[in-house]
Amino acid sequence: MYLAIRKLNVLGSVLYVAAHPDDENTRLIAYLSKDRLYRTGYLSLTRGDGGQNLIGDDQGIDLGLIRTQELLAARRVDGGEQFFSRAFDFGFSKTPEETFTKWDREKILSDVVWVIRKFQPDVIITRFPTTGEGGHGHHTASAILANEAYTAAADPKRFPEQLKHVAVWQAKRVLWNTFNFGGNNTTANDQFKIDVGGYNPLLGKSYGEIAAISRSNHKSQGFGSAGSRGESFEFFRATKGDQPTTDLMEGADLTWKRVPGGEAISKMADNIAASFDLLHPESSVAGLVNLYKAINSLPDGYWKKQKLLEVHQLIAQCSGLFLDATTTDQFAVQTDSVRINFSFNNRLGTDAVLQKVVVDKFDSTFSKTLEKNKNLNFSKTFYVPADKPITQPYWLAIKMEEGYFNVPDVLAIGQPDVDPSYQALIQVKIFGESFTFVRSVKYKLTDPVRGELYEPLVVVPPVLLATDENHIISKDNNNFSGTLNLTSKKKGFNAILKDVGREQADQVKIKYAPDNILFDDKDKTIPVNYEVQANKDNNYFFAVDANNGRKDVFHLGMKEIRYDHVPYINYFTVATVNNQKLDLKIYGKKIGYIVGAGDKVPEALEQMGYEVTLLTEKEMSKNGLDKYDAIITGVRAYNTNAWMNKYYDKLMKYVYEGGNLIVQYNTSNQIGPVRAKISPYNFDISRTRVTDENAAMNILKPEHPVLNFPNKIVPDDFKGWIQERSIYHATNWDKEKFETIFSSNDAGEKADEGSLLIAKHGKGFFTYTGIVFFRELPAGVPGAYRLMANLIALNRKKAF
Ligand SMILES: [Zn+2]
């Protein structure tokens, strides 16, 4: 509260711009926000959808949703505000030119301009330079866009459609926050520098300590960090505007003088700070109310709006007002009801009278004095109409493009999070002035281990659909069948399955058994078998009719993501299955799969017709391996399972006696050291990757069985791949022992043969591959299936 009161007299703002969750300098953000007391923001162009996930098998959109929450958690610690553009993190990109072929450059630039015009930063700071030292193409692209946006935001001819909602804005300068990491030192003593290593006695922490707590929220990236203490410098070089000589914010007025008539405010705020009583913050409330009125009488403008919000929040905090609106259910179900519990307490006995509570169409007037430290509890049940919008992240509401999200509501662009499903507006009269406090209605629970938790309240349809598989492949006929799971969120829901789904391209009939289900309870899941006869590859959609006379058709499935370190995450997609008739032959039957960091390869192998056994440590120690035609290690198995080392000899013996060990990629760096011996012969793991999913795969040994048996690999097998070809190639391999099959490279780089290494060892085979089967198989890429089948067939161990 005391920091926030002191901040009332600081009218300055800084926007930090980079490409990904984790790019931001949390120490600098903590320092700017909590020492300098500037309004500080971080614009991450992407949500980090493309990186590796160290805590689970979520990828793509799901990973972006997790990282969105990790960034929000980081900002709650370091005091920054979070923004995003529409850009999608489509995976590693070597150059900004490649990045801009997927991001719509003009659209993403308009997003950066939009955030700048809204946020009105005095200074913009980029993590990376425009010249490429930042490595990743997204990094360089983020700097290029920030520098362009500095000029464009001030130009009324650029993106004039935004000017209905925001004004043009000229920041003072763009600074590149030079760095010294990974052996790449771009700092220099002639650059402008500031010491951000100070200690904040009000918070009891140094900015280096706050930064570490903030950064450790990036758990999906394995960025747990240690705090630092003592002097530490950040270096800057201006890339737009003038070089600062004495201060970052040089040339910007950071006082109330920048608001016409604002000078009197500054004295009022000083007085509130001077008389602030740590034990009785409520003594400051009357002064804050007067300050609110004084600011409110100023002409409209950015700082008036900003400071009113700050004072408003301070009034609630200094009053000790507790205003809670919660449910005991996670879900508000369309066509059902939800009960909201209100709990208010005027804990410090401010002069406060409850006047009004508004939620949706509920609007209730009160005239109730809130007595000191007395709970006021009441509940209200609401009907959730069929047209109440489901709780969907706005950037996923309509189908995305390859490189960016489509956002129909332009005003939503930049917003970090999902809109809350219900908001309670609570109007309280404090020292004669009415204030409306807005609280998102939350699902509140007490977890036996984690304690009291607040999670989002989520609006869902009465029935949810989920298929067991997203892709069904068929090797020999046109009949596809699978399981559709229906989950009712409402007791007594009658689901009638329709024979034709929505958007069906060719009106294919889907047969369901059973096709009429009455749910006697909520949260019950009932499986339904479906059969489709198809003559070509297609997507099939499912539809469920509610027998309630209103002909509602439901077709959504819900994805849920739960981790302890972030709030509950969900989003909806149309329930669909993609069938594919593949020309695929397999040889061998039994596969042992050693799970690594998590991937969906085993499910794909089962679809191919193999019997898959997941090999845990226990399985590895107990059982013989000779029954397996191939053993495949999941992605990063040698990074995540320390116990692999114990079974090196056993695996090598298995190979030597005629087995077939296929090792998918592992990393070799400080966050992912290899923890066990992998191979019978030497090779190292590099960071070489081929990020162009259409890069040529030049065949080095056309006669090799892996290209011929049981499937003849043809150029078409390398069509339709997604995101990339291969990552973490092998390097320095034993040339006597290993054969390489492909050479490949990204544009402008030299050819590399490390994507697939095969060695004969005794009677069996050992393979290391950086080819991204873990992406291509779940995406249903035919060539990846055929190549995987050939790897499994290498030892031709058994006919069946
Ligand atoms: Zn990055």
Side-chain angles (χ1 to χ4, degrees):
M1 284 181 271
Y2 187 62
L3 267 187
I5 288 172
R6 290 189 46 235
K7 186 176 172 153
L8 294 174
N9 273 341
V10 182
L11 285 71
S13 58
V14 175
L15 183 65
Y16 202 89
V17 182
H20 306 116
D22 86 355
D23 288 345
E24 81 278 20
N25 182 338
T26 50
R27 188 175 58 187
L28 180 60
I29 290 172
Y31 168 80
L32 294 173
S33 157
K34 294 184 182 293
D35 184 279
R36 296 292 194 99
L37 303 173
Y38 301 143
R39 186 180 183 203
T40 307
Y42 174 42
L43 169 58
S44 173
L45 295 188
T46 76
R47 295 175 184 269
D49 322 82
Q52 290 167 31
N53 179 0
L54 293 191
I55 56 170
D57 62 3
D58 324 84
Q59 289 178 19
I61 300 292
D62 299 24
L63 188 54
L65 287 161
I66 293 168
R67 292 193 172 155
T68 295
Q69 294 304 325
E70 290 178 344
L71 270 188
L72 289 167
R75 294 298 81 78
R76 285 192 287 273
V77 173
D78 60 36
E81 295 171 57
Q82 185 60 48
F83 305 97
F84 293 98
S85 83
R86 281 173 286 181
F88 180 66
D89 176 6
F90 55 81
F92 189 78
S93 173
K94 288 177 180 166
T95 63
E97 291 75 25
E98 189 207 351
T99 300
F100 287 133
T101 63
K102 302 214 169 144
W103 293 357
D104 181 316
R105 183 173 179 155
E106 195 70 0
K107 278 201 173 75
I108 307 308
L109 175 63
S110 85
D111 292 359
V112 182
V113 168
W114 169 251
V115 171
I116 290 173
R117 285 172 173 172
K118 272 175 66 169
F119 192 81
Q120 301 190 4
D122 295 305
V123 170
I124 297 166
I125 302 178
T126 64
R127 170 80 280 184
F128 302 106
T130 57
T131 41
E133 294 91 326
H136 200 318
H138 296 174
H139 291 166
T140 308
S142 75
I144 291 171
L145 292 176
N147 279 279
E148 267 179 44
Y150 164 87
T151 311
D155 180 352
K157 289 195 221 58
R158 297 307 309 274
F159 311 108
E161 68 285 356
Q162 294 179 358
L163 300 176
K164 284 196 295 267
H165 310 287
V166 289
V168 293
W169 180 252
Q170 179 64 69
K172 287 274 174 266
R173 59 183 66 85
V174 180
L175 298 172
W176 167 30
N177 179 197
T178 57
F179 48 76
N180 182 3
F181 44 66
N184 192 359
N185 186 3
T186 55
T187 66
N189 269 327
D190 62 345
Q191 293 169 3
F192 176 72
K193 61 180 183 187
I194 49 176
D195 177 11
V196 301
Y199 175 72
N200 188 318
L202 282 177
L203 301 170
K205 289 187 174 64
S206 72
Y207 300 107
E209 290 170 326
I210 296 168
I213 300 167
S214 170
R215 194 159 181 79
S216 296
N217 281 296
H218 294 310
K219 296 197 192 303
S220 69
Q221 321 214 36
F223 278 165
S225 308
S228 64
R229 287 149 290 273
E231 189 179 73
S232 73
F233 287 95
E234 292 291 342
F235 294 80
F236 302 91
R237 178 186 284 173
T239 54
K240 293 278 177 192
D242 53 354
Q243 297 288 347
T245 52
T246 55
D247 191 74
L248 208 66
M249 300 288 261
E250 224 164 84
D253 185 355
L254 306 177
T255 72
W256 277 102
K257 285 192 196 126
R258 68 195 295 177
V259 179
E263 277 171 84
I265 304 292
S266 154
K267 276 193 205 75
M268 291 176 80
D270 277 342
N271 289 338
I272 292 168
S275 61
F276 185 73
D277 181 344
L278 287 167
L279 288 177
H280 293 286
E282 74 278 13
S283 334
S284 298
V285 173
L288 285 164
V289 171
N290 284 333
L291 181 67
Y292 188 91
K293 289 196 273 195
I295 297 174
N296 208 14
S297 67
L298 296 173
D300 284 344
Y302 172 87
W303 282 111
K304 171 184 172 180
K305 195 173 154 209
Q306 194 54 35
K307 292 297 166 186
L308 281 178
L309 283 172
E310 290 176 27
V311 178
H312 193 267
Q313 197 180 354
L314 265 168
I315 288 170
Q317 288 177 333
C318 293
S319 301
L321 273 182
F322 177 79
L323 303 171
D324 214 22
T326 60
T327 63
T328 52
D329 256 312
Q330 177 111 56
F331 303 108
V333 182
Q334 289 172 342
T335 73
D336 206 347
S337 57
V338 62
R339 190 176 177 80
I340 299 180
N341 304 313
F342 299 92
S343 180
F344 304 153
N345 191 323
N346 178 14
R347 289 175 291 190
L348 295 174
T350 304
D351 173 24
V353 179
L354 179 66
Q355 294 184 304
K356 217 173 176 17
V357 176
V358 179
V359 181
D360 249 27
K361 292 184 182 83
F362 169 69
D363 183 344
S364 185
T365 305
F366 297 77
S367 181
K368 174 136 185 61
T369 299
L370 294 170
E371 289 173 55
K372 183 173 179 180
N373 206 21
K374 292 269 194 290
N375 291 316
L376 172 65
N377 297 327
F378 60 97
S379 305
K380 171 79 190 158
T381 300
F382 295 81
Y383 179 71
V384 185
D387 60 359
K388 172 83 183 168
I390 52 170
T391 307
Q392 174 84 318
Y394 71 86
W395 59 98
L396 301 179
I398 59 173
K399 196 171 183 300
M400 64 177 293
E401 308 296 327
E402 189 189 0
Y404 60 91
F405 296 106
N406 277 310
V407 177
D409 175 10
V410 293
L411 298 181
I413 289 170
Q415 264 184 45
D417 207 357
V418 184
D419 285 331
S421 52
Y422 285 90
Q423 288 196 315
L425 311 181
I426 303 150
Q427 187 182 310
V428 184
K429 196 177 193 180
I430 298 174
F431 287 103
E433 186 77 9
S434 290
F435 294 94
T436 299
F437 299 99
V438 181
R439 297 288 182 269
S440 300
V441 179
K442 298 272 191 180
Y443 163 50
K444 183 174 173 176
L445 70 159
T446 307
D447 180 272
V449 176
R450 298 164 65 206
E452 185 180 80
L453 299 172
Y454 286 83
E455 295 207 325
L457 171 66
V458 171
V459 177
V460 295
V463 66
L464 294 166
L465 289 65
T467 51
D468 274 356
E469 303 88 10
N470 297 326
H471 288 269
I472 296 189
I473 61 170
S474 161
K475 289 177 293 188
D476 26 58
N477 61 45
N478 296 321
N479 295 316
F480 300 89
S481 60
T483 306
L484 177 69
N485 296 299
L486 299 189
T487 303
S488 70
K489 287 288 174 189
K490 181 186 171 185
K491 189 175 172 174
F493 184 81
N494 186 191
I496 298 171
L497 287 121
K498 302 181 67 123
D499 63 344
V500 174
R502 63 198 280 279
E503 297 169 30
Q504 214 73 272
D506 48 3
Q507 299 293 297
V508 171
K509 294 264 183 204
I510 305 178
K511 273 199 279 182
Y512 297 99
D515 61 0
N516 188 331
I517 298 165
L518 180 64
F519 286 95
D520 56 11
D521 209 348
K522 67 173 186 174
D523 289 322
K524 202 164 167 178
T525 298
I526 296 181
V528 171
N529 296 317
Y530 67 85
E531 275 177 40
V532 183
Q533 212 180 33
N535 52 19
K536 58 175 182 175
D537 293 353
N538 209 339
N539 278 305
Y540 300 99
F541 301 94
F542 302 98
V544 171
D545 207 349
N547 188 20
N548 60 6
R550 286 197 327 226
K551 296 195 171 58
D552 293 327
V553 174
F554 300 98
H555 52 81
L556 294 177
M558 181 168 72
K559 178 80 196 254
E560 299 179 277
I561 303 171
R562 292 179 193 272
Y563 285 102
D564 278 1
H565 73 295
V566 291
Y568 168 84
I569 296 168
N570 79 293
Y571 69 97
F572 297 93
T573 54
V574 173
T576 172
V577 65
N578 181 268
N579 76 38
Q580 248 165 341
K581 201 173 164 216
L582 281 191
D583 174 16
L584 172 70
K585 295 181 198 73
I586 66 168
Y587 188 90
K589 190 75 184 166
K590 289 192 187 322
I591 308 243
Y593 199 88
I594 299 174
V595 176
D599 57 66
K600 298 192 164 63
V601 173
E603 290 85 342
L605 293 169
E606 281 180 343
Q607 293 239 357
M608 291 166 80
Y610 300 106
E611 288 168 16
V612 180
T613 305
L614 297 182
L615 297 178
T616 57
E617 182 182 6
K618 203 165 144 198
E619 291 288 333
M620 288 293 289
S621 75
K622 256 186 1 202
N623 298 320
L625 302 176
D626 62 331
K627 62 176 174 276
Y628 298 111
D629 296 303
I631 293 176
I632 304 178
T633 64
V635 302
R636 300 204 306 280
Y638 290 86
N639 298 131
T640 51
N641 303 327
W643 51 264
M644 294 288 294
N645 214 26
K646 274 202 271 179
Y647 302 102
Y648 173 76
D649 291 338
K650 189 167 181 174
L651 283 166
M652 290 307 114
K653 181 164 174 281
Y654 158 76
V655 172
Y656 197 81
E657 291 173 354
N660 183 13
L661 176 62
I662 301 165
V663 174
Q664 298 183 80
Y665 91 90
N666 285 271
T667 63
S668 180
N669 56 36
Q670 88 195 60
I671 55 166
V674 173
R675 303 161 77 155
K677 266 177 90 174
I678 298 177
S679 162
Y681 307 113
N682 287 337
F683 74 92
D684 295 324
I685 295 168
S686 73
R687 302 197 58 142
T688 305
R689 49 175 72 209
V690 178
T691 61
D692 178 358
E693 66 273 25
N694 298 311
M697 295 292 276
N698 301 306
I699 289 175
L700 303 171
K701 293 190 184 64
E703 301 311 317
H704 196 284
V706 81
L707 298 172
N708 294 285
F709 180 80
N711 302 288
K712 172 84 187 156
I713 299 298
V714 296
D716 269 1
D717 285 316
F718 296 105
K719 288 190 181 148
W721 287 49
I722 61 157
Q723 188 159 332
E724 59 206 349
R725 285 285 191 212
S726 50
I727 57 180
Y728 295 98
H729 285 196
T731 186
N732 304 329
W733 57 85
D734 183 336
K735 299 274 186 305
E736 304 280 297
K737 300 292 185 183
F738 281 111
E739 290 192 278
T740 55
I741 308 299
F742 300 114
S743 88
S744 55
N745 55 278
D746 280 322
E749 301 198 343
K750 66 176 200 290
D752 190 90
E753 299 182 7
S755 65
L756 179 60
L757 298 189
I758 299 175
K760 186 126 190 359
H761 179 56
K763 284 191 259 174
F765 285 84
F766 171 87
T767 297
Y768 174 82
T769 183
I771 293 173
V772 289
F773 289 104
F774 71 100
R775 288 197 203 286
E776 310 304 324
L777 297 180
V781 175
Y785 279 93
R786 288 158 47 80
L787 187 57
M788 177 55 92
N790 287 8
L791 282 170
I792 291 168
L794 270 176
N795 55 345
R796 300 195 196 196
K797 196 176 166 195
K798 285 174 203 151
F800 68 96

